[in-house]
């Protein structure tokens, strides 16, 4: 039997709804799931019908930040959630806005934030539903992560979750894991220009991958690439404090990056970088190939 999904949006830019359209096995997905309502994909009920009456649903999907006073289809989004949340089996927050507030933390709505969290702080409003919640953060979400999570929930598999309700299967790693530039990171060889294949972007270009949870270099985007492989720094879009300022610059104090890889003490970082700096690996200083 098809699992019924209802996709609703708080304060959102539609980015996650669009990203999900890139799921490579969408035809099969629509054989296994049906959308009671989706903002883009054809579905049987309009937004107005969804907000004015209850329609049986298995999993409630929430995209976008939640704020008092924000309406969809003429109804407060908070009331819409309250209409469905008690009856669905699971609630999935989709994207960093629905999970932590994301870019809408600074919207004109003073209490705009995530479903369960405002950045790292717990919010009370929907705390009674916390046991049902699985969160897929990201700006936007990786479509495979959402689809795989929904398949797990369909099969009644409860994935192990981290402190922010994100499946550990995807978020126990850092985005740095699997980057093709790891050797440059280890030997402290900087990247010089965005888009180049050589060098690591941690030292100058603000790459946040060593302190960002995610699988972008393990489960590739469009099955072929990732931001850092392509030569763009990771902006930390899955984390509670996203978006930080000065995304393309590494802020330093006395030459030491302000943010170090998770759990690496400053002393360990200084010792290791002192050792690697003492060596010059000529292979890593050269272009990989001329274009
Ligand atoms: S570019 Fe970013 S992800 Fe890649 S090795 Fe450097 S710090 Fe890690
Ligand atoms: S590489 Fe970083 S910024 Fe890009 S999608 Fe992954 S976590 Fe987000």
């Amino acid at each position: 039997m098809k699992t019924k999904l209802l996709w609703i949006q708080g304060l959102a830019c539609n980015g996650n709804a669009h990203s999900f359209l890139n799921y490579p096995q969408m035809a099969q997905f629509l054989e296994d799931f049906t959308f009671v309502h989706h903002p883009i994909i054809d579905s049987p009920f309009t937004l107005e019908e969804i907000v004015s009456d209850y329609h049986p649903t298995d999993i409630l999907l929430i995209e976008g930040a939640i704020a008092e006073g924000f309406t969809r289809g003429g109804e407060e989004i908070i009331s819409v959630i309250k209409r469905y949340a008690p009856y669905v089996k699971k609630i999935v927050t989709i994207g960093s806005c629905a999970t932590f507030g994301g870019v809408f933390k600074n919207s004109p709505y003073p209490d705009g934030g995530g479903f369960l969290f405002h950045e790292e702080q717990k919010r009370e409003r929907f705390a009674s539903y916390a046991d049902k919640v699985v969160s897929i953060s990201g700006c936007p979400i990786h479509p495979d992560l959402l689809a795989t999570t929904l398949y797990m929930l369909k099969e009644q598999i409860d994935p192990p979750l981290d402190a922010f309700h994100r499946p550990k299967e995807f978020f126990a790693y850092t985005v740095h894991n699997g980057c093709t530039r790891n050797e440059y990171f280890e030997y402290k060889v900087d990247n010089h220009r965005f888009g180049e294949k050589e060098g690591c972007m941690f030292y100058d270009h603000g790459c946040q991958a060593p302190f960002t949870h995610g699988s972008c270099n393990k489960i590739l985007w469009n099955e072929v690439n990732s931001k850092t492989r392509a030569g763009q720094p990771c902006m930390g879009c899955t984390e509670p404090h996203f978006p930080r300022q000065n995304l393309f610059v590494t802020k330093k104090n006395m030459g030491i990056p302000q943010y170090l890889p998770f759990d690496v003490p400053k002393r360990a970082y200084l010792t290791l970088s002192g050792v690697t700096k003492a060596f010059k690996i000529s292979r890593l200083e050269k272009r990989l190939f001329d274009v």
Side-chain angles (χ1 to χ4, degrees):
M1 205 161 74
K2 290 190 182 189
T3 302
K4 289 184 179 148
L5 306 172
L6 169 57
W7 186 306
I8 58 169
Q9 294 174 313
L11 287 148
C13 69
N14 254 344
N16 298 294
H18 279 270
S19 182
F20 186 60
L21 298 182
N22 289 321
Y23 181 55
Q25 281 86 41
M26 184 59 89
Q28 181 61 52
F29 183 87
L30 294 175
E31 292 289 314
D32 300 326
F33 295 87
T34 181
F35 283 104
V36 178
H37 172 78
H38 184 283
I40 302 172
I41 297 171
D42 272 351
S43 41
F45 295 103
T46 64
L47 180 61
E48 286 69 24
E49 287 168 330
I50 286 298
V51 303
S52 59
D53 207 355
Y54 176 78
H55 296 272
T57 296
D58 296 310
I59 303 175
L60 176 63
L61 309 174
I62 301 174
E63 174 183 12
I66 315 296
E68 215 165 288
F70 182 75
T71 61
R72 282 278 181 200
E75 273 280 323
E76 278 241 18
I77 193 67
I78 292 172
S79 318
V80 180
I81 293 172
K82 283 182 178 164
R83 170 166 295 151
Y84 286 91
Y87 306 109
V88 294
K89 294 181 192 128
K90 290 284 176 188
I91 298 170
V92 179
T93 67
I94 298 179
S96 291
C97 297
T99 306
F100 301 119
V103 295
F104 291 105
K105 283 181 298 225
N106 299 320
S107 74
Y109 292 88
D111 76 329
F115 185 69
L116 291 181
F117 297 94
H118 181 94
E119 297 191 339
E120 286 162 339
Q121 274 176 351
K122 285 189 180 167
R123 303 181 91 193
E124 282 310 310
R125 186 183 285 125
F126 296 115
S128 58
Y129 302 116
D131 286 351
K132 297 186 181 188
V133 178
V134 178
S135 294
I136 308 293
S137 58
C139 187
I141 48 129
H142 192 310
D144 298 25
L145 271 51
L146 176 59
T148 307
T149 301
L150 292 175
Y151 273 107
M152 284 194 262
L153 299 179
K154 180 181 173 68
E155 297 304 321
Q156 295 175 11
I157 298 166
D158 278 326
L161 304 176
D162 70 9
F164 300 117
H165 294 245
R166 301 177 296 190
K168 287 185 179 173
E169 179 69 27
F170 310 126
F171 292 94
Y173 302 86
T174 67
V175 175
H176 176 73
N177 289 152
C179 177
T180 48
R181 297 165 192 269
N182 277 187
E183 214 178 6
Y184 295 107
F185 176 86
E186 285 153 20
Y187 290 99
K188 240 176 167 288
V189 178
D190 296 350
N191 163 268
H192 300 299
R193 229 176 28 185
F194 293 141
E196 273 183 2
K197 294 191 183 305
E198 303 83 4
C200 167
M201 292 167 283
F202 178 72
Y203 304 103
D204 280 326
H205 294 126
C207 186
Q208 298 186 30
F211 49 92
T212 296
H213 293 97
S215 292
C216 296
N217 277 309
K218 197 164 85 79
I219 301 169
L220 298 177
W221 286 78
N222 298 319
E223 301 182 316
V224 289
N225 214 346
S226 75
K227 209 171 275 173
T228 64
R229 288 181 182 210
Q232 283 284 304
C234 166
M235 296 188 285
C237 78
T238 57
E239 289 297 302
H241 293 279
F242 174 80
R244 293 182 198 262
Q245 290 179 329
N246 302 323
L247 289 175
F248 297 101
V249 187
T250 304
K251 206 171 163 206
K252 297 175 200 143
N253 302 321
M254 316 243 310
I256 306 168
Q258 182 181 11
Y259 300 106
L260 293 176
F262 278 134
D263 291 342
V264 172
K266 223 180 244 179
R267 249 180 81 200
Y269 177 81
L270 281 174
T271 309
L272 285 176
S273 54
V275 171
T276 49
K277 257 189 179 170
F279 298 94
K280 251 201 165 4
I281 315 291
S282 60
R283 176 174 59 83
L284 298 179
E285 302 290 336
K286 289 184 200 146
R287 300 297 309 265
L288 283 170
F289 50 86
D290 291 321
V291 281

